[in-house]
Structures are given as structure tokens and as C-alpha cells.
């Protein structure tokens, strides 16, 4: 089982430097079940960056291709490199380990369309280290570390000499070629299929950790960004994020406006997820249930068996297409199965951007209260609605600061007493300062009113 | 680390004062480590205000603002009220009677209130000039 302990970000969009620590790192696992981290702050202060970084880590660990154009533009203006470090806890059933993953990406100019140049990234350094916990004098041991800042030389690019020798033997002296092909495609050196397979052959003991992290990213680390809210808003598709333990996880875009065709296996997954959602949904939205209406079978262009289906919503006795339901309901449906996963399964990490969008304040608060009391998995979210501040503990809430070099902070637990209303405390601190947090706002209603007037005067000219 | 700021609750009579003064005063207040909360509260123009209720009305305004901003009692450095006197302190003997008779009528917005009717159809400036001259001659200034 793997749990995320912390993420350290450097040179990424609005974040000069920032550390997002999960509560489980602070409490050292004494209190499982409160592993929720909510990130709060002003617009443009770097909340979404955290989710983007999580997505980047997931992409790297799954061995998939990084969207290097996007990442190239995400490297902070003025910086050349961005750096992400992640610390994870790994329990293999016998021993407890801490994994340290580190990646450095450099912005480079790449060839774009029609001979124009565009921003891109290359992975300059990547390493995975491990430390066995509970052992006296345990040291960080390097599993695999690649450094290609000096080019792809077989004798320096993989740092551990013993591993390097074995890998070179395995690849018949073509290790540097393999690494440069990874760099070309912007794929992780450690987690690309070829290196993972090679490592499995040459060093079973080390491969165990790489495999575990890969599996965690494939099935248990789930990221929900804002792009899917766009799908819902244009009635284009209903993304259904699912986590079915033992079977897999992922996002199924289901047809929203009218009927649509999805492969038979996807239909099976969607049906299973909807059945479990239906047990919870009527509690959250009065008498509301979902159904995926089977409208016949078809064969698609790839000669796959498909199902034509339509998503329906039922309110009591009335049933109609889900497309005509409110955006909030659709949004809630899209993430509900993940929240069920977080509540019930250890080792699941879900990161949701703007958890509060479209969700009724009271409902949001009650959901978080429930998760706080009994969730086994991990939840990272960003939000603007401050109701969760009244529900969560001080160590579960992070605030973005005004200082880009130290982007994230939290209230000291000792300052938030049992009777303290953290929402009021935050409101007071952003206006008056104090509490050792640099979160003061520069927003004043008088200035806004003045701005409104000035703008109109300018328009009239 | 900077020390915690203190709040100043500034009661003004309307949105114009808020726009004109709020931002600028805040810039001055920044140097003094203060944060200004501007409240609109034209308590004196309220027909329901009288000497017995005005204290409570002002108190309510302050309390509401403290609640809105999540200020505690110790956060508030002072409460300032900015008001114009609307001629309340003009000496009675300097008031003109008869020429400008107040009467209840509908104003331009269709609200019934006291309007002043100028008997002669002259421009405001002319009337004012005339008035000043009358006052000067009457009191020998």
C-alpha cells in the first residue's frame, strides 16, 4: 500500500517554492482517517498548480507521455527548470519504507508546427530513493537515478554503477539509446516500459518499489481537473470517474446529449459504478437516482461490440435525460464514485480541483465532515467555499501565501482550539494579518467601487 | 513578521464618500498598520432616528460590520463617523421664511417628500445671489 506524504514544488507556474504536506506526514500515521488536505487561497495563487503537479507525477509514474508543450509553458517565467519532489510511504506487508521521488525538467525550445518554435521540456534528472523505516541507522538508498544534464552517456546517465552495468548488459550496450528515446518522447526514464522490464530482470529487489509506484499511479492515484467541468458545461459528455477496487479506475466519458455508443466493457464498468452511486445519491439529492438505459447493441468501426445507451436521472416518479439536470448534480455525479473510494479504501489518493464548484455549501460541509470522521484513503482538493474550514482540522487546511518562495502554509494546530471557528479566524487574518501567516489580502471594496466607476468613465471617453 | 493590524470602522453617509475616501484613506492607513472598513450609514437622514434611538442604531452598524469582517472587540482601534451637517447648525435667525416654502409633493423620482418651491422661475444661481444680498442688507453685514 502506498500513501502520499508530501509534494515539494519548485518553479512551477505561480509557485516559486512550496511544500504540500499531507496530514499523515505530520501525525506520522497515528491518526489514519483524517488524511484530507484542502488548499485555499486567492485567485492565481497556485492552488490548481498542485493538482497539475499531481497529474504530472501520475503521468510520469504510469510511464505515459508528458504533455511537454503544456509543461514547457508551465515552467515559471524567469526560471529555466522546474523541480518536483514527492515523498511516499510504502508498506509491502512486512516492512515500512519511505520512497523519495525527484524529477527536474528543463524548458527547451522545440520545433513546432510550420517551422515555428514552441516551448517544451526535457527530463533532466530523475531519481527514486528508498529508506526503510523503523530500522536504526537506515539511510536513503538510491534505487534508480538518471542524470542526463551532460547528455546521454552510458557511463554517467544512470548513477548507480552496479545497476548501470547490469542495464547495459541487458540492453546490449544500447542503454543510452533507450534513454534518449525516452527523452525524445518525454517519458519517465525510470517508469518507461522498457526500463521497468529491464529492472525486473536485473534486480528484482529494486524493481519491487518501481512496480509498486507504477501500480499505485495506474489504479489508485486519481486526478480530477477542471477540463471535465467544461465537458459537462457544454453538455458534451458526462465524465464518470470510477474507482472499482481490484478492477481499475479511470474516467469514462458517457454520452450526455442524446444517446451514444460505448464499448461493452466500458458499459459494464459504468453500470457497476452507477449501481453503487445510486445507493448514495438519493441521500445527497432528494430522491435522485441515475440509470444508464440500454438501447441496443452495435458494432463500431474497430469491429468492437458496443452498447448504445443514454444516461437518465430519476426524481421520485419522474425520469428524464441527465442532460437536463443542473450542472451541480452532474458535477457531483462525476466525482461521487471517487469519494466512495476514498471513504472505503486505504491507499487511494484522489485529487480534485475546485471540489466546491456547483455543490451546495451545506452538502459540501457535511460530505467533508463524514470523510474526516471515517475516510481511509487520501483526498486533496482545492476550493473557494470556506465552509470546509469549519469542518476540517487545522492540519487539513493549507493556505496559499503572498510569498511565491514559500507558497503554502497552515494554521498552527495549537492556535486553533476546539471552540475556534477556523473560517472566522481566516477571514480575520486575511484582513488584519497575524498568526505568522503571510496571507493578507489587498482587496478593498472601496477600491473595487472606485475601479468600477473609473472604468465606466474611460468607456464614456 | 508584521504585527497584526488594527481595524478602523469608518461610517460614511453614502457610496460617494466611500468611493472617494475609502481607497485613499486605506493607503494612508497602511503606513499606520490599520485596515479601514467603510460602512454606509446615513443615520441622521433616517426618519426613524431620534435622540433615543441613534445610539442603538450606530451600535448596530458597528456590530454588523464587526460580524461581517470577523473582527473581535480588541481588533477595533476606533470607530470614526464622517457626516455633513446638512445645515442643522444654521442659526434660526439666518433662516429665510416665506420665500422658499417647503411643501409635500412628488419629486422627480415620484417619491413624496418635502420639496422647495421657488416662487419665481429663476435659475438657482440667481436666487442664491439674491438671497445673499437680502441677508447682507437685513443684518447689515
Amino acid at each position: 500500500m502506498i500513501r502520499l506524504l508530501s509534494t515539494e514544488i519548485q518553479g512551477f507556474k505561480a509557485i516559486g517554492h512550496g511544500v504540500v504536506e499531507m496530514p499523515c506526514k505530520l501525525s506520522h500515521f497515528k491518526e489514519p482517517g483524517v488524511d484530507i488536505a484542502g488548499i485555499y487561497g486567492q485567485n492565481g495563487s497556485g492552488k490548481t498548480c498542485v493538482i497539475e503537479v499531481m497529474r504530472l507525477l501520475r503521468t510520469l509514474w504510469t510511464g505515459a507521455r508528458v504533455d511537454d508543450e503544456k509543461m514547457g509553458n508551465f515552467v515559471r517565467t524567469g526560471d529555466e527548470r522546474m523541480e518536483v519532489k514527492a515523498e511516499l510511504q510504502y508498506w509491502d506487508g512486512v516492512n515500512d519504507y519511505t520512497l523519495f521521488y525527484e524529477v527536474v525538467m528543463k524548458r527547451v525550445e522545440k520545433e513546432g508546427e510550420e517551422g515555428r518554435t514552441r516551448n517544451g521540456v526535457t527530463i533532466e534528472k530523475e531519481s527514486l530513493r528508498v529508506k526503510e523505516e523503523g530500522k536504526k541507522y537506515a539511510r536513503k538508498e538510491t534505487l534508480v537515478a538518471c542524470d542526463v544534464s551532460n547528455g546521454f552517456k552510458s557511463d554517467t546517465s544512470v548513477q548507480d554503477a552496479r545497476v548501470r552495468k547490469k542495464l547495459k548488459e541487458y540492453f546490449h550496450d544500447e542503454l543510452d539509446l533507450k534513454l534518449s528515446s525516452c527523452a525524445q518522447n518525454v517519458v519517465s526514464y525510470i517508469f518507461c516500459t522498457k526500463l521497468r522490464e529491464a529492472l525486473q530482470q536485473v534486480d528484482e529487489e529494486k524493481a519491487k518499489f518501481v512496480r509498486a509506484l507504477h501500480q499505485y499511479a495506474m489504479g489508485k492515484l486519481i486526478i480530477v481537473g477542471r477540463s471535465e467541468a467544461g465537458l459537462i458545461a457544454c453538455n458534451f459528455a458526462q465524465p464518470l470517474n470510477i474507482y472499482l477496487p481490484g478492477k481499475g479506475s479511470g474516467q469514462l466519458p458517457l454520452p450526455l446529449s442524446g444517446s451514444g455508443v460505448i464499448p461493452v466493457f466500458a458499459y459494464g464498468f459504468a453500470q457497476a459504478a452507477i449501481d453503487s452511486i445510486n445507493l448514495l445519491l438519493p441521500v445527497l439529492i432528494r430522491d435522485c437516482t441515475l440509470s444508464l438505459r440500454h438501447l441496443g447493441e452495435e458494432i463500431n468501426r474497430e469491429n468492437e461490440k458496443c452498447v448504445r445507451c443514454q444516461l437518465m436521472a430519476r426524481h421520485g416518479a419522474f425520469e428524464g435525460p441527465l442532460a437536463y439536470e443542473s450542472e451541480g448534480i452532474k458535477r457531483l455525479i462525476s466525482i461521487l464514485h471517487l469519494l466512495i473510494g476514498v471513504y472505503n479504501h486505504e491507499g487511494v489518493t484522489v485529487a480534485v480541483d475546485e471540489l466546491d464548484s456547483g455543490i451546495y455549501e451545506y452538502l459540501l460541509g457535511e460530505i467533508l465532515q463524514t470523510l474526516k470522521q471515517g475516510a481511509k484513503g487520501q483526498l486533496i482538493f482545492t476550493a473557494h467555499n470556506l465552509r470546509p474550514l469549519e469542518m476540517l482540522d487545522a492540519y487539513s487546511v493549507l493556505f496559499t501565501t503572498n510569498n511565491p518562495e514559500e507558497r503554502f502554509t497552515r494554521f498552527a494546530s495549537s492556535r486553533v482550539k476546539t471552540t475556534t471557528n477556523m473560517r472566522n479566524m481566516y477571514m480575520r487574518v486575511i484582513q488584519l494579518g497575524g498568526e505568522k501567516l503571510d496571507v493578507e489580502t489587498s482587496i478593498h471594496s472601496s477600491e473595487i467601487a472606485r475601479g468600477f466607476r473609473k472604468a465606466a468613465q474611460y468607456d464614456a471617453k | 513578521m508584521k504585527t497584526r493590524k488594527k481595524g478602523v470602522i469608518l461610517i460614511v453617509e453614502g457610496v460617494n464618500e466611500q468611493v472617494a475616501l475609502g481607497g485613499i484613506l486605506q493607503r494612508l492607513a497602511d503606513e499606520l498598520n490599520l485596515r479601514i472598513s467603510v460602512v454606509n450609514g446615513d443615520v441622521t437622514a433616517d426618519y426613524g432616528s431620534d435622540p433615543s434611538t441613534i445610539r442603538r442604531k450606530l451600535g448596530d452598524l458597528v456590530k454588523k460590520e464587526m460580524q461581517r469582517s470577523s473582527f473581535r472587540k480588541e481588533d477595533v482601534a476606533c470607530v470614526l463617523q464622517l457626516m455633513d451637517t446638512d445645515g442643522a447648525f444654521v442659526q434660526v435667525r439666518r433662516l429665510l421664511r416665506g420665500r422658499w416654502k417647503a411643501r409635500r409633493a412628488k419629486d422627480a423620482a415620484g417619491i413624496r417628500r418635502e420639496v422647495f418651491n421657488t416662487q419665481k422661475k429663476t435659475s438657482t444661481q440667481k436666487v442664491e445671489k439674491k438671497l445673499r444680498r437680502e441677508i447682507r442688507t437685513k443684518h447689515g453685514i
Side-chain angles (χ1 to χ4, degrees):
Chain A
M1 187 194 74
I2 286 190
R3 261 180 122 84
L4 186 73
L5 291 176
S6 74
T7 322
E8 191 177 336
I9 306 161
Q10 205 154 349
F12 190 91
K13 281 174 91 182
I15 305 174
H17 176 257
V19 187
V20 179
E21 283 176 326
M22 295 300 290
C24 71
K25 187 180 179 186
L26 303 174
S27 59
H28 301 288
F29 244 7
K30 278 175 202 153
E31 272 184 281
V34 281
D35 222 359
I36 300 173
I39 304 164
Y40 280 85
Q42 303 192 32
N43 293 105
S45 61
K47 300 185 297 296
T48 302
C49 295
V50 178
I51 308 292
E52 288 293 343
V53 164
M54 299 289 301
R55 194 194 292 280
L56 171 67
L57 286 175
R58 187 184 182 275
T59 312
L60 288 165
W61 294 342
T62 50
R65 209 172 165 155
V66 174
D67 184 351
D68 79 312
E69 189 172 354
K70 189 165 128 188
M71 285 304 143
N73 293 320
F74 277 3
V75 178
R76 191 165 73 136
T77 323
D79 282 352
E80 257 198 349
R81 292 176 176 79
M82 65 175 174
E83 201 178 326
V84 178
K85 292 178 189 169
E87 219 180 300
L88 304 107
Q89 180 160 30
Y90 172 49
W91 168 254
D92 66 354
V94 186
N95 293 318
D96 204 0
Y97 300 94
T98 310
L99 298 173
F100 303 88
Y101 177 78
E102 198 177 327
V103 64
V104 179
M105 287 185 166
K106 189 185 175 190
R107 177 168 39 208
V108 286
E109 278 195 349
K110 290 195 176 177
E111 209 173 295
E113 279 171 22
E114 295 169 4
R116 272 175 286 189
T117 55
R118 63 168 177 86
N119 278 336
V121 283
T122 57
I123 302 172
E124 206 173 64
K125 287 180 194 170
E126 199 185 9
S127 68
L128 184 64
R129 296 185 165 81
V130 67
K131 194 174 122 190
E132 197 176 331
E133 292 299 323
K135 215 177 173 185
K136 233 180 180 181
Y137 313 118
R139 283 193 313 169
K140 268 194 212 174
E141 189 196 335
T142 305
L143 293 171
V144 196
C146 298
D147 182 353
V148 295
S149 50
N150 299 321
F152 299 96
K153 293 173 195 152
S154 303
D155 23 320
T156 55
S157 46
V158 175
Q159 281 172 348
D160 189 333
R162 207 169 53 84
V163 178
R164 183 168 67 230
K165 199 177 158 205
K166 283 183 178 174
L167 284 175
K168 268 166 89 175
E169 273 170 26
Y170 181 86
F171 285 121
H172 308 296
D173 277 338
E174 283 183 347
L175 176 62
D176 43 348
L177 207 70
K178 295 279 181 254
L179 292 179
S180 71
S181 103
C182 282
Q184 197 87 42
N185 295 320
V186 204
V187 172
S188 156
Y189 302 123
I190 302 174
F191 294 91
C192 72
T193 326
K194 292 218 171 81
L195 211 83
R196 252 187 310 123
E197 278 171 7
L199 205 65
Q200 185 78 34
Q201 298 296 327
V202 302
D203 198 331
E204 170 68 25
E205 184 60 26
K206 286 189 173 181
K208 179 178 85 177
F209 299 103
V210 177
R211 198 174 56 234
L213 198 50
H214 175 71
Q215 280 169 356
Y216 167 70
M218 290 296 280
K220 296 190 169 175
L221 176 62
I222 306 154
I223 319 291
V224 186
R226 285 299 294 156
S227 51
E228 62 167 44
L231 294 179
I232 296 175
C234 348
N235 256 351
F236 190 67
Q238 168 69 40
L240 194 69
N241 292 286
I242 57 172
Y243 172 73
L244 293 166
K247 288 180 189 154
S249 68
Q251 192 184 77
L252 287 175
L254 297 178
L256 192 54
S257 78
S259 67
V261 178
I262 55 169
V264 171
F265 76 91
Y267 179 79
F269 279 132
Q271 194 64 59
I274 286 173
D275 286 346
S276 93
I277 286 175
N278 275 342
L279 298 173
L280 177 62
L281 194 60
V283 183
L284 306 180
I285 300 158
R286 189 176 284 186
D287 293 338
C288 180
T289 51
L290 268 186
S291 64
L292 191 59
R293 196 177 275 183
H294 192 293
L295 299 168
E297 286 189 354
E298 284 182 23
I299 303 288
N300 72 359
R301 249 191 288 178
E302 283 84 35
N303 220 9
E304 262 181 324
K305 237 186 180 181
C306 293
V307 174
R308 180 165 283 280
C309 56
Q310 189 172 5
L311 267 173
M312 306 292 280
R314 179 183 280 276
H315 285 280
F318 304 101
E319 193 174 41
L322 181 70
Y324 303 115
E325 290 297 330
S326 76
E327 214 175 301
I329 292 184
K330 290 184 233 171
R331 164 83 175 154
L332 192 60
I333 288 167
S334 81
I335 56 168
L336 202 54
H337 203 248
L338 295 184
L339 297 181
I340 296 172
V342 168
Y343 189 78
N344 293 300
H345 302 284
E346 270 182 315
V348 179
T349 308
V350 173
V352 186
D353 197 10
E354 293 193 23
L355 179 69
D356 58 339
S357 90
I359 298 180
Y360 182 47
E361 184 180 8
Y362 183 74
L363 177 60
L364 177 72
E366 296 308 295
I367 290 177
L368 282 169
Q369 170 83 352
T370 315
L371 288 175
K372 176 190 144 186
Q373 284 165 351
K376 292 176 181 159
Q378 294 183 295
L379 175 69
I380 304 167
F381 68 89
T382 72
H384 287 290
N385 186 312
L386 297 176
R387 173 73 172 162
L389 264 60
E390 293 173 322
M391 294 300 183
L392 299 175
D393 293 319
Y395 51 76
S396 281
V397 184
L398 286 126
F399 302 104
T400 55
T401 66
N402 294 326
N403 178 10
E405 299 310 318
E406 205 191 324
R407 253 311 174 207
F408 304 103
T409 184
R410 43 163 59 92
F411 281 133
S413 289
S414 56
R415 299 285 301 143
V416 185
K417 301 194 173 69
T418 331
T419 50
T420 308
N421 181 326
M422 201 164 38
R423 179 190 190 149
N424 288 347
M425 191 169 168
Y426 178 63
M427 290 302 283
R428 185 167 164 248
V429 169
I430 57 173
Q431 292 176 85
L432 301 176
E435 297 296 336
K436 295 187 182 167
L437 308 184
D438 185 11
V439 294
E440 228 175 291
T441 177
S442 56
I443 302 167
H444 291 273
S445 64
S446 313
E447 294 275 24
I448 297 173
R450 201 174 127 88
F452 276 140
R453 288 197 182 192
K454 285 266 172 204
Q457 282 167 8
Y458 182 81
D459 287 345
K461 267 182 198 170
Chain B
M1 192 199 74
K2 282 194 291 183
T3 51
R4 193 192 293 276
K5 281 184 180 175
K6 288 271 181 191
V8 172
I9 297 174
L10 174 66
I11 304 169
V12 295
E13 291 202 340
V15 74
N16 287 327
E17 280 98 327
Q18 184 184 5
V19 173
L21 297 170
I24 280 186
L25 284 177
Q26 183 57 54
R27 266 173 240 171
L28 292 173
D30 278 340
E31 292 168 20
L32 302 168
N33 217 18
L34 293 171
R35 181 175 173 106
I36 295 180
S37 282
V38 188
V39 194
N40 289 333
D42 195 357
V43 276
T44 51
D46 188 349
Y47 281 113
S49 297
D50 61 53
S52 67
T53 59
I54 197 97
R55 273 174 73 99
R56 184 173 51 79
K57 282 198 169 182
L58 280 170
D60 288 350
L61 264 183
V62 173
K63 273 183 206 156
K64 194 178 170 191
E65 178 56 24
M66 281 173 69
Q67 221 170 47
R68 198 186 63 83
S69 311
S70 303
F71 285 171
R72 290 184 199 161
K73 226 175 180 176
E74 67 262 26
D75 293 334
V76 183
C78 59
V79 177
L80 301 176
Q81 186 175 11
L82 183 75
M83 55 193 294
D84 59 57
T85 52
D86 292 329
F89 299 105
V90 175
Q91 288 171 346
V92 177
R93 64 185 172 89
R94 302 221 163 180
L95 284 176
L96 292 164
R97 290 180 189 179
R99 277 198 76 104
W100 280 33
K101 243 184 191 167
R103 63 184 177 85
R104 301 281 287 184
K106 278 186 183 172
D107 68 357
I111 302 164
R112 234 183 139 70
R113 57 167 62 180
E114 295 203 320
V115 292
F116 294 96
N117 192 17
T118 46
Q119 287 170 347
K120 282 180 187 173
K121 282 185 180 173
T122 46
S123 71
T124 325
Q125 282 99 342
K126 272 188 181 172
V127 174
E128 277 183 3
K129 207 174 165 188
K130 213 171 163 188
L131 277 174
R132 266 185 241 120
R133 201 171 52 236
E134 275 181 22
I135 291 169
R136 274 202 300 273
T137 44
K138 197 174 173 188
H139 298 286
I141 307 164

